[in-house]
Amino acid sequence: MTDNLSIRAIEERLLTRWPETKLEPSLDRIVNVMRLLGDPQRRYRSVHITGTNGKTSTARMVEALLAASGERTGRLTSPHLTSVRERIGIAEEVIDVRAFRSAYSAVGKQAELVDATMRHPLSFFEMTVAMAYRAFADAAVDVAVVEVGMGGRWDATNVIDADVAVVLPVDLDHTDYLGPTAARIAQEKAGIIKPGSVAVSARQSAEVAEVLRARADSVGSRLVVQGNDFSLLRRTAVEGGQVISVQGLYGTYSNVFLALHGRHQAANAACAIAAAEAAAGRQLDHAAVRAGLGQVSSPGRFDVRPGEPLVILDAAHNPHGARALVESLAELAPCRTFAVIAAMADKDIEGVLRELESVVDVVVCTRNSSPRSIAPAKLAATARQVFGAQRIHVAFNVATAIEKARALAAPLPGRASDALVLVTGSVVTVGDANRVLPPGPPMGQALPG
């Protein structure tokens, strides 16, 4: 019986399955389990989002815009910070315990049948995708906003035939699975573009744009591109976020407050508006745009936490993400930045550090709670090559690293604080920090500088 299992027990059962990092290019398992469930993913419209970075934030913005427009929404994002329930949202709220337990019970029964007939059992990720799609149907959502786990074509989420596909900027990441070049990676991500859909593309390199155009043409999808068919007209950083103006597919939305920081989030917001318009098939109500973007949050993405000094959590884990983080931090200058960094051993750690070097004063190298985390000493050795030995410290775990960074950032007696602590390098690193820090304010907080 699974109906009375605790959330912790369900998480433990899910974690006994193939991890998210172990992949096989096949949709057979997820297709079979969804068929046994009655293909619940066919009962609602969907918006499917891929790209190298920005997927979670953009999904949350699309969700907020559609919800403010009167749609009942479902949301699937990954990975989570502290609890697997965070991956599944219903009507802009984390799925409740009863619904989560019900989805696991329904999927678990069918998964046993599929596991018995397949070479490999359903993975952790495949299970959570199936649970989300079943939960959305049970909750009678109008539209689901779905973030790809990795790539697109072979991703378990791709059993939906989305009305709208969103491709955010494509750069190098997961090259061991997706390919060594941006064009090859784009071919995988373009797999979410389905016949008759609208494909919304962020600004891309020429080689990526060519791949997306070829895919859209081959399946009869309408491709709309940022900078041509819709655009970010202007942005101004303000307390708690920024004010943006966007030319959408059907209308112009001027002087809208966006409760997220950074130029990259403004560009993501333009894509989100175009995607929401495409899903609705019309111009959005201006009041809905203001309500949706003015209240949106994206935990762990330039996520400001109160305190002295302030702490900023950001899940940047590749050079492309680190560049966006650097732009956001640069807007806070002059401000001393003390970074806590823990990263996965298979990432381009040196590339991330080189991007951060210009805006980070001191680095505290540590490990996060994942077994894939690089050892602090090895991370510190790489960091010393980039920052120099005098700017590098080492700590045993994220919690102690934050305390060390706070101590280093403390102002001199009689002087006002001019520093902040940055925690970055991985979603797991941010999740570890999230467990020991107070929650952020709902509408952001004024930043120093």
Side-chain angles (χ1 to χ4, degrees):
M1 291 293 291
T2 59
D3 293 341
N4 295 317
L5 285 176
S6 68
I7 297 301
R8 180 58 186 161
I10 292 174
E11 288 191 5
E12 289 175 352
R13 289 194 178 192
L14 289 171
L15 289 170
T16 63
R17 291 181 169 272
W18 267 24
E20 291 177 284
T21 54
K22 190 172 183 179
L23 304 175
E24 182 188 42
S26 171
L27 294 178
D28 291 345
R29 292 178 300 277
I30 188 69
V31 166
N32 286 344
V33 80
M34 297 312 297
R35 184 178 296 123
L36 290 174
L37 290 166
D39 284 321
Q41 76 277 15
R42 309 290 183 213
R43 301 178 202 170
Y44 39 81
R45 297 158 22 241
S46 54
V47 177
H48 207 179
I49 301 172
T50 191
T52 300
N53 294 297
K55 297 185 292 294
T56 296
S57 296
T58 304
R60 285 178 169 272
M61 285 188 266
V62 174
E63 174 195 33
L65 290 165
L66 293 174
S69 300
E71 302 268 20
R72 181 167 172 80
T73 58
R75 181 192 72 243
L76 172 61
T77 56
S78 62
H80 58 273
L81 295 183
T82 56
S83 169
V84 69
R85 277 201 303 131
E86 297 166 18
R87 296 178 178 231
I88 304 173
I90 305 291
E92 297 188 281
E93 298 289 342
V94 173
I95 187 172
D96 64 40
V97 171
R98 182 176 180 180
F100 184 81
R101 186 183 290 129
S102 175
Y104 177 76
S105 178
V107 173
K109 293 172 184 176
Q110 306 306 332
E112 290 179 2
L113 300 176
V114 175
D115 290 346
T117 63
M118 304 298 293
R119 179 181 176 187
H120 300 293
L122 271 84
S123 68
F124 172 94
F125 186 69
E126 288 167 335
M127 287 290 292
T128 57
V129 169
M131 289 168 61
Y133 288 168
R134 170 61 182 252
F136 296 158
D138 289 346
V141 305
D142 300 310
V143 57
V145 183
V146 176
E147 172 186 347
V148 163
M150 185 187 299
R153 180 169 55 143
W154 298 113
D155 192 73
T157 60
N158 205 28
V159 291
I160 54 172
D161 290 323
D163 306 88
V164 180
V166 181
V167 185
L168 298 171
V170 174
D171 209 301
L172 300 180
D173 197 17
H174 301 297
T175 52
D176 49 342
Y177 288 108
L178 303 181
T181 67
R184 183 68 187 87
I185 293 170
Q187 289 175 0
E188 294 298 321
K189 295 184 183 296
I192 71 167
I193 300 174
K194 302 296 179 62
S197 68
V198 177
V200 177
S201 173
R203 293 181 183 274
Q204 308 284 0
S205 66
E207 58 180 344
V208 170
E210 182 179 351
V211 170
L212 298 183
R213 172 62 66 186
R215 170 66 180 182
D217 288 346
S218 70
V219 299
S221 173
R222 176 193 173 199
L223 177 66
V224 294
V225 179
Q226 188 170 11
N228 296 330
D229 304 285
F230 65 96
S231 60
L232 173 67
L233 300 176
R234 54 187 173 272
R235 66 175 288 269
T236 304
V238 298
E239 180 177 326
Q242 54 194 311
V243 174
I244 64 173
S245 294
V246 172
Q247 174 63 56
L249 300 177
Y250 296 103
T252 301
Y253 309 90
S254 300
N255 301 320
V256 175
F257 174 70
L258 171 63
L260 298 174
H261 299 274
R263 181 179 299 278
H264 63 294
Q265 295 290 26
N268 290 339
C271 290
I273 286 173
E277 286 182 316
R282 57 174 174 78
Q283 180 176 340
L284 303 177
D285 182 81
H286 283 66
V289 173
R290 294 179 188 279
L293 297 185
Q295 297 286 344
V296 72
S297 65
S298 189
R301 281 76 182 174
F302 212 80
D303 183 353
V304 181
R305 298 303 175 90
E308 190 64 45
L310 287 176
V311 178
I312 295 177
L313 310 182
D314 194 275
H317 58 276
N318 53 43
H320 184 264
R323 284 195 294 275
L325 172 57
V326 165
E327 285 193 10
S328 299
L329 287 170
E331 293 184 350
L332 309 183
C335 189
R336 294 183 303 146
T337 299
F338 296 78
V340 170
I341 299 179
M344 301 306 182
D346 58 347
K347 295 297 182 181
D348 182 3
I349 297 164
E350 183 176 349
V352 169
L353 293 171
R354 291 197 180 282
E355 293 291 344
L356 294 175
E357 193 275 334
S358 64
V359 295
V360 169
D361 296 272
V362 172
V363 175
V364 182
C365 298
T366 189
R367 71 163 66 246
N368 61 41
S369 58
S370 170
R372 295 169 52 220
S373 181
I374 187 172
K378 188 172 183 180
L379 175 60
T382 301
R384 290 186 188 102
Q385 296 176 10
V386 177
F387 286 80
Q390 298 302 312
R391 296 163 67 185
I392 304 303
H393 297 261
V394 178
F396 177 71
N397 58 30
V398 171
T400 56
I402 291 173
E403 290 307 309
K404 183 182 283 288
R406 278 176 159 162
L408 293 169
L412 296 174
R415 296 186 60 177
S417 175
D418 65 343
L420 61 83
V421 171
L422 169 70
V423 182
T424 191
S426 167
V427 173
V428 177
T429 304
V430 168
D432 291 347
N434 191 57
R435 294 181 179 92
V436 300
L437 294 170
M443 288 291 291
Q445 177 169 329
L447 300 177

